[in-house]
Amino acid sequence: MNLTIKESTMPKKFNSIAKVIRQAREVAGISQVELSKQIGYENGQFISNVERGLCSVPAAKVVKLTEILNISSKSITDAMTEDFQANLHQVVNHGKR
């Protein structure tokens, strides 16, 4: 059986990266707006979305973000991997309904 799942029908969640970014930003004492601007965005909406688990961090921004927030590569990799696995699990299980 060939099963096609429209990606847009399943909301993705990024709770692990959200927690890592929020905690590191708060420890660093940096506002969402300031952090967003430091990684190349015009306002704080991007970091707000990340911290609410609505989106992840684009690969092109990961290194800069880890440098600014002093996040270890292991911590960010682990968080992004956990989110990927959770989203993949959701896709696979959705297809078994």
Side-chain angles (χ1 to χ4, degrees):
M1 174 192 327
N2 188 1
L3 185 61
T4 303
I5 300 172
K6 290 184 179 180
E7 195 170 332
S8 63
T9 63
M10 292 175 294
K12 293 181 179 173
K13 294 183 181 177
F14 302 94
N15 297 328
S16 296
I17 194 70
K19 182 178 178 183
V20 169
I21 299 300
R22 178 181 294 118
Q23 287 177 347
R25 183 185 60 76
E26 289 175 349
V27 167
I30 300 172
S31 72
Q32 291 177 339
V33 172
E34 185 180 354
L35 182 56
S36 287
K37 287 182 178 181
Q38 287 184 30
I39 62 171
Y41 293 93
E42 292 185 18
N43 59 48
Q45 190 61 51
F46 172 72
I47 294 299
S48 174
N49 289 345
V50 169
E51 290 184 359
R52 289 183 293 142
L54 301 177
C55 66
S56 190
V57 178
K61 304 288 185 182
V62 169
V63 172
K64 182 80 170 168
L65 195 60
T66 59
E67 290 171 352
I68 293 167
L69 296 177
N70 196 30
I71 300 171
S72 72
S73 59
K74 179 174 177 13
S75 293
I76 199 122
T77 301
D78 288 352
M80 292 178 91
T81 300
E82 286 173 22
D83 289 339
F84 175 79
Q85 288 176 333
N87 287 315
L88 182 60
H89 182 73
Q90 179 183 358
V91 169
V92 171
N93 285 336
H94 181 78
K96 291 183 179 181
R97 288 184 182 175

